[in-house]
Amino acid sequence: MKKFFSVAAFLFLTLGTEGVAKAQITDSIMPLKDGNFEVWVDYPGDTVTFIVPIPVNDPYSLPEGWHAPMFRIDDTVEYSGMTLPLNVSLPVAKVSRDTLGVPQGQSGLIAESFLLSDVLSPVASLVVGQMLDSALMTEVIPSIVTNAEVDLMKILPLMEQVAEDPSDLSWLLELVDSIDLNELMNGGAPLNGFEPKLLHGMYKYLDGNGSGLVDDNATLVMLGTCYDPVLNKRMLVGAGSKNLFQRVDTVHYDRFAMDYYTLNEYYPEQYAFAKADTVVVIAISSANEKKRARGSKLYLDSLVLRQRDESCGRITDVRLDNSSTVHAVVKWNSTVVPDKWMVEYGEAGFYRGYGMRFTVTDSVATMVNLTPNTTYDFYVRSECGDTSTSTWGYLQFTTDSLTPHSVLEVEAERVKLTPNPARGRCEVDFGGLSVSRVSLYSINGQLLMQRPVMGKGVTLELPGKGVFVVELLTPHGAVHKRVVND
């Protein structure tokens, strides 16, 4: 018995992440199948026969179309000198029906964090409790409810990575590479051609500690899957996750919006865009391992999917136009002309959201002050107004190598900028170099000025305070110098 119940330890994981981008909301919505929790199914409690039949758990209910972890025990136990068979299905969740003040319909879902003694009958707790590791009777376990039959023992150990960085969905890659979804899950909500961008709904959260100081928290995870007829198996094509915390108002439900990302959006360099045909939603009542509290309750109702907004088009043909040791120019095409493009870049492997970001109004971006002989990841997306964006386009490039005593290093030393710091104007002395063009960039890489030159130098007017990069084009390549304008 001790050996079997050790599998319950997989529940003691810290889960959850916030979305990493602003929700894009459109008017096109689709109610999530069984997402109103109106119809409930009653299940009888199970019994085990020692000398006489003993109830293991009381009768319980679950919303139609939703499931909780069930552990089948086919084992023998030693009790009072006897070897007795133990054959039972144990629901490891505490789920109830909310009927007070629900935002829509007559009922909502309550998933509550619990002790095993809360879901075992009193008699079963006395009998089997002495056979378990003591930690398994005192550890708080989260209730987990899904709209598919999911093998949680396989998926949750991977998803503990979610907690390591709230902006990082790298667990998606491990999930794709290591799990056969045909073995992992069965069912989910069919999309019938609908392409989701986010899961929207109503929630309430009550921290079992009663402090309301963001101690415990719930987590929602959504997985998008599609069937690949060539490989003859179901594939993961997207996901999203979000933490839900207790608010000041613990009486009324509040709205939430959880972004859904395709693998192409998060990893455009590795995956082509693919539509999901089914979504699986996983609700977890407690996702804070260190401060998980007995009695923490996640209330859910009115779950709907919102449609992906394609009005901002797609990025295509991202390409390197030219580069040197310390700069690069990238161009791209777009299926629509947006208000602007958002660019983000950084050394290969950086987490998007932590790189160098700036916007441009033409489909070209110039990056300066790069590191020689270094590989960079480059992302770009269209932005239309305040609410609509395209998926990210991606390119990886490597700057040229640079030896310590290269010609460009020597030439850069010859160029003088005075005064520096400047006062609105800067004199650039070429130091005898043959310079054919001078360009001025913001520190974020935005081209501010460019003109051909002749002679020994040039005077630059600096537009506002800040740090600027002066680029001089020589026969050996581009030389870059920084100037500060006070």
Side-chain angles (χ1 to χ4, degrees):
M1 192 69 173
K2 287 180 181 289
K3 179 180 179 181
F4 173 82
F5 269 93
S6 66
V7 300
F10 85 93
L11 293 168
F12 310 154
L13 301 174
T14 303
L15 303 175
T17 182
E18 292 287 352
V20 297
K22 183 179 179 180
Q24 303 168 26
I25 300 176
T26 72
D27 293 332
S28 181
I29 65 173
M30 181 181 79
L32 183 71
K33 186 177 184 297
D34 302 317
N36 278 335
F37 309 106
E38 290 300 301
V39 180
W40 287 65
V41 180
D42 294 327
Y43 297 92
D46 212 337
T47 60
V48 60
T49 300
F50 291 124
I51 299 174
V52 295
I54 298 175
V56 176
N57 58 283
D58 295 328
Y60 62 97
S61 298
L62 288 173
E64 185 177 59
W66 293 80
H67 306 270
M70 299 290 294
F71 291 119
R72 180 66 192 174
I73 307 174
D74 293 299
D75 205 345
T76 57
V77 295
E78 298 294 329
Y79 183 68
S80 298
M82 298 180 293
T83 300
L84 302 172
L86 182 61
N87 307 107
V88 65
S89 292
L90 177 65
V92 185
K94 189 174 183 181
V95 178
S96 57
R97 187 173 186 173
D98 185 24
T99 58
L100 299 175
V102 292
Q104 183 175 343
Q106 302 300 314
S107 63
L109 168 74
I110 306 175
E112 182 176 349
S113 302
F114 62 95
L115 298 177
L116 279 178
S117 58
D118 296 330
V119 296
L120 295 173
S121 69
V123 175
S125 294
L126 290 174
V127 173
V128 305
Q130 57 188 306
M131 305 176 189
L132 305 180
D133 294 332
S134 59
L136 293 177
M137 295 301 293
T138 58
E139 189 76 39
V140 177
I141 302 173
S143 282
I144 301 174
V145 186
T146 73
N147 68 336
E149 296 179 3
V150 176
D151 188 337
L152 292 165
M153 292 178 66
K154 291 183 178 179
I155 194 173
L156 287 182
L158 293 174
M159 290 172 57
E160 68 179 328
Q161 299 175 56
V162 175
E164 294 181 4
D165 188 335
S167 66
D168 179 23
L169 292 180
S170 61
W171 57 272
L172 279 176
L173 291 181
E174 187 167 347
L175 188 60
V176 170
D177 294 338
S178 61
I179 295 294
D180 184 349
L181 292 188
N182 298 282
E183 299 177 357
L184 178 68
M185 63 183 63
N186 179 37
L191 294 175
N192 300 318
F194 190 90
E195 190 176 350
K197 180 55 186 173
L198 74 155
L199 177 69
H200 186 271
M202 305 293 291
Y203 89 99
K204 182 169 60 173
Y205 193 69
L206 300 181
D207 184 341
N209 287 321
S211 66
L213 299 177
V214 196
D215 287 331
D216 206 352
N217 63 275
T219 291
L220 288 179
V221 178
M222 183 166 75
L223 304 177
T225 76
C226 74
Y227 181 75
D228 188 324
V230 177
L231 298 177
N232 192 32
K233 65 179 183 178
R234 184 155 291 278
M235 306 294 292
L236 180 71
V237 296
S241 53
K242 187 176 184 66
N243 279 347
L244 298 174
F245 298 97
Q246 181 167 307
R247 302 173 299 110
V248 175
D249 180 0
T250 59
V251 175
H252 302 96
Y253 281 74
D254 195 16
R255 296 184 182 275
F256 74 86
M258 181 179 76
D259 285 288
Y260 168 82
Y261 296 94
T262 65
L263 281 173
N264 170 257
E265 286 179 284
Y266 213 79
Y267 297 104
E269 70 278 20
Q270 294 178 256
Y271 297 96
F273 178 80
K275 286 185 178 181
D277 59 31
T278 302
V279 293
V280 176
V281 176
I282 304 172
I284 305 167
S285 67
S286 290
N288 188 335
E289 181 182 7
K290 295 181 179 179
K291 296 184 178 181
R292 183 175 297 143
R294 180 186 186 185
S296 290
K297 296 180 181 180
L298 169 63
Y299 296 68
L300 287 176
D301 196 27
S302 309
L303 301 183
V304 299
L305 297 170
R306 291 193 177 271
Q307 178 76 36
R308 176 178 297 278
D309 182 2
E310 293 292 346
S311 62
C312 211
R314 294 188 185 276
I315 300 293
T316 62
D317 191 24
V318 185
R319 60 201 182 274
L320 186 65
D321 187 60
N322 67 72
S323 66
S324 70
T325 53
V326 291
H327 96 287
V329 178
V330 174
K331 294 183 178 180
W332 59 89
N333 296 332
S334 181
T335 56
V336 302
V337 179
D339 298 324
K340 58 187 176 182
W341 286 275
M342 170 65 74
V343 167
E344 183 173 4
Y345 69 94
E347 292 191 12
F350 82 96
Y351 293 142
R352 206 166 63 239
Y354 294 92
M356 180 69 73
R357 282 195 171 195
F358 57 91
T359 59
V360 295
T361 54
D362 294 317
S363 55
V364 58
T366 301
M367 293 154 283
V368 298
N369 203 35
L370 303 178
T371 303
N373 196 28
T374 300
T375 301
Y376 286 86
D377 288 336
F378 174 91
Y379 297 88
V380 59
R381 74 179 182 190
S382 304
E383 297 197 343
C384 305
D386 295 328
T387 59
S388 180
T389 68
S390 72
T391 57
W392 289 95
Y394 172 80
L395 177 71
Q396 188 173 88
F397 65 90
T398 302
T399 53
D400 297 336
S401 61
L402 180 67
T403 59
H405 301 291
S406 70
V407 172
L408 282 176
E409 276 190 312
V410 174
E411 291 185 342
E413 291 296 321
R414 293 166 61 181
V415 177
K416 304 300 180 184
L417 277 62
T418 55
N420 192 5
R423 296 290 188 273
R425 177 179 296 182
C426 177
E427 300 291 336
V428 183
D429 184 345
F430 298 159
L433 298 180
S434 175
V435 177
S436 60
R437 187 183 70 199
V438 172
S439 304
L440 183 67
Y441 295 92
S442 71
I443 192 60
N444 291 332
Q446 182 179 5
L447 178 63
L448 304 174
M449 179 278 294
Q450 188 175 80
R451 68 169 184 260
V453 295
M454 295 179 63
K456 299 180 180 180
V458 68
T459 300
L460 295 180
E461 299 291 339
L462 302 175
K465 295 182 179 180
V467 180
F468 300 90
V469 177
V470 180
E471 180 185 77
L472 291 76
L473 187 61
T474 77
H476 301 107
V479 170
H480 297 87
K481 303 285 285 189
R482 288 193 182 193
V483 60
V484 178
N485 186 32
D486 289 339

